[in-house]
Amino acid sequence: AKAEDGRLTSHPAVVELGELLDKLSSDLKLAADKKGLEMVFKSNSDQTINATTSTVAGSERVVRPLYYVYADPERLREVITNVFDNAAKYTESGKITLSITGNAQVVQCYVKDTGSGIPADDLPHLFQKFYRVDNSATRTIGGTGLGLFICRKVIELYDGQMWAESELGKGSTFYFNLPRIDNQKAARLQTAAAANPVYL
C-alpha cells in the first residue's frame, strides 16, 4: 500500500552504485554458495571480477568508472538482494552474474541467472502485484508475489526503469536503469548534504 500511494520511506543520497554493489556482492556470494552456484560480479561489462576469489580476469589492476545515482542506498540494497535471492531460488546449477555499466545519462545494473527461465506469456505480468508464475518450482518455493512489484516501485521512485528478459531453459536477466549524475553534481549534492544534515 505504501509503495502504491507514495508513502514508501525514502532517504535519498548520492550513491556510488559500483561501490555499493561491490560491498553487497560478498553477502550475495553466501546466498549463491548455499546452492553451490558460482557468483560473478562484473563492473563496466568489459572486466569480470570473480566474487569467489576476488581476482580480476586478465588484469592486475582495474580503474573502475564512478557510477553516481541519487537514491536511498538501503532501498537499492533491498531491490538488488530481492532480485538476487530470486535468481538463487530458481537456479538449480550454474551461475548468477551481477553487473553494472552505464553511459553519460544512465547507470544500468542487471542480475543474470542460468535457471529454468520464465515463459513468454508470464513476462509482461512479472511486476504486477500478487502475480506469480504458476509452475512446479514456484509452488514448491512459495512467496507472496509482491517482491518484484515493490522492487519496480522503488526504482520508479528514483525515475528509473526495471524490466526482465528471459527464455525458457536459458535463464533470466533482470535489469534496472537509474539516471546517472556526473562527478561534479555528485560533489555538489554531497557538500549540500554535509552542510544540512538530516537526523533520523
Side-chain angles (χ1 to χ4, degrees), residues 37 58 61 65 72 80 93 98 101 134 143 148 166 181-182 191:
L37 301 170
R61 184 169 176 271
D72 186 329
I80 296 156
S93 62
L98 175 65
T101 189
D134 186 20
L148 290 176
S166 187
I181 56 178
D182 62 33
T191 301

Side-chain angles (χ1 to χ4, degrees), residues 106-173:
V106 169
V107 178
Q108 181 176 93
C109 296
Y110 71 70
V111 175
K112 181 177 185 178
D113 64 54
T114 56
S116 55
I118 299 163
D121 290 346
D122 289 302
L123 271 176
H125 308 289
L126 279 181
F127 298 93
Q128 293 175 2
K129 187 166 55 171
F130 301 124
Y131 188 85
R132 300 193 71 231
V133 176
D134 186 20
N135 60 30
S136 58
T138 57
R139 286 192 292 270
T140 302
I141 292 169
T144 62
L146 282 172
L148 290 176
F149 168 76
I150 294 171
C151 285
R152 178 180 267 182
K153 286 290 183 183
V154 168
I155 295 301
E156 289 175 348
L157 191 62
Y158 306 116
D159 298 321
Q161 298 172 300
M162 188 170 187
W163 72 98
E165 295 175 1
S166 187
E167 191 175 340
L168 274 179
K170 295 187 178 180
S172 305
T173 306

Side-chain angles (χ1 to χ4, degrees), residues 172-184:
S172 305
T173 306
F174 284 79
Y175 297 87
F176 71 79
N177 286 359
L178 288 169
R180 184 176 185 178
I181 56 178
D182 62 33
N183 295 7
Q184 291 77 20

Side-chain angles (χ1 to χ4, degrees), residues 12 22 27-28 31 33 35 37 54 67-69 77 84 91 97 100 109-110 114 126 135 158 165:
D22 195 12
D27 295 331
L28 299 177
D33 284 348
K35 288 201 66 177
L37 301 170
S54 298
Y67 293 116
Y68 288 112
V69 298
R77 281 190 191 93
F84 194 94
T91 302
T97 303
I100 182 169
C109 296
Y110 71 70
T114 56
L126 279 181
N135 60 30
Y158 306 116
E165 295 175 1

Side-chain angles (χ1 to χ4, degrees), residues 42-55:
K42 295 172 70 176
S43 178
N44 207 30
S45 293
D46 57 355
Q47 297 284 356
T48 302
I49 301 170
N50 186 333
T52 308
T53 61
S54 298
T55 58

